[in-house]
Amino acid sequence: GVVSMTYGLDVGLLRQVVARYGLDRWLLRRVRFAQGYRRARYLALLAVLPVGEGIPPRMARYGRSRNRYVRFFALMTRVSAEPLAALRRLADYVGPFSDTEVAEIMTWLRRGALPVAYEPLVASPSFNLRRVGLCVVRQFGIEEAEEALLRIAASDAVPEIGCEAVRTLCALQRPLCRSGVLRRLRSMGRAERRALLRCMAAEGYASDALPELFDRDERLCYESLVGS
């Protein structure tokens, strides 16, 4: 509740509240004795507070938890407390981020808790950082990223990243009849192509943009999507 009331303001007030009442130590005790989703909930609360310097090192043990939510919010507690090391922490995370986790990271970005520069993210060798970078481009509508997105769509060796680059171009409402996009479309599976059709319908692409991109059955599917 205090976090929501101080949203967008100087975090100095929140830092005073945390220090005066020892909220970070109080939550850390609950984290230690809780289990499963309850532990993850306490870590999520801890992650939005300006915690003391002694808290981040204690997150290492929870970063090895079998519970995915515990691992992720332990990571976000460290990221929130050490913003200068945020990209390294995100890159070192074991396993790919889920869509929900990427959305949670975007919440941190919109609060100004993490750097927003997309160039080093989309160019990173880390799968997780590239996903976050593409999400940054979509969320902030960065049209200057178009050339980088086309290169990723055409040549990225990771199919998931190439497909996400195409969906990002779609979210920016850029023309999709490009050679790189066409090459990526040919390598997409049926489910991925249908997902792209839904993105295009949501963004209002005209049906006359489809003949070069999709076959007849998919164009009929698109017309049905638009009609609904």
Side-chain angles (χ1 to χ4, degrees), residues 20-110:
R20 178 171 181 177
Y21 295 102
L23 293 183
D24 51 353
R25 297 189 301 274
W26 185 86
L27 280 170
L28 191 61
R29 286 195 299 272
R30 268 119 192 107
V31 168
R32 188 181 306 122
F33 294 111
Q35 294 181 347
Y37 294 110
R38 187 181 294 274
R39 173 174 285 172
R41 177 175 177 270
Y42 285 132
L43 285 168
L45 290 170
L46 195 61
V48 300
L49 298 176
V51 297
E53 294 180 359
I55 299 296
R58 301 185 187 185
M59 294 298 106
R61 60 180 295 191
Y62 303 117
R64 298 187 294 268
S65 171
R66 288 179 295 178
N67 186 304
R68 179 175 190 139
Y69 297 97
V70 170
R71 292 198 307 271
F72 177 74
F73 283 112
L75 166 72
M76 294 314 296
T77 298
R78 301 185 77 176
V79 165
S80 180
E82 304 169 319
L84 295 180
L87 298 186
R88 178 165 55 85
R89 298 291 185 204
L90 295 175
D92 291 344
Y93 184 72
V94 178
F97 290 136
S98 67
D99 291 343
T100 304
E101 289 165 348
V102 172
E104 189 73 25
I105 292 169
M106 290 307 300
T107 301
W108 259 258
L109 283 165
R110 286 192 292 270

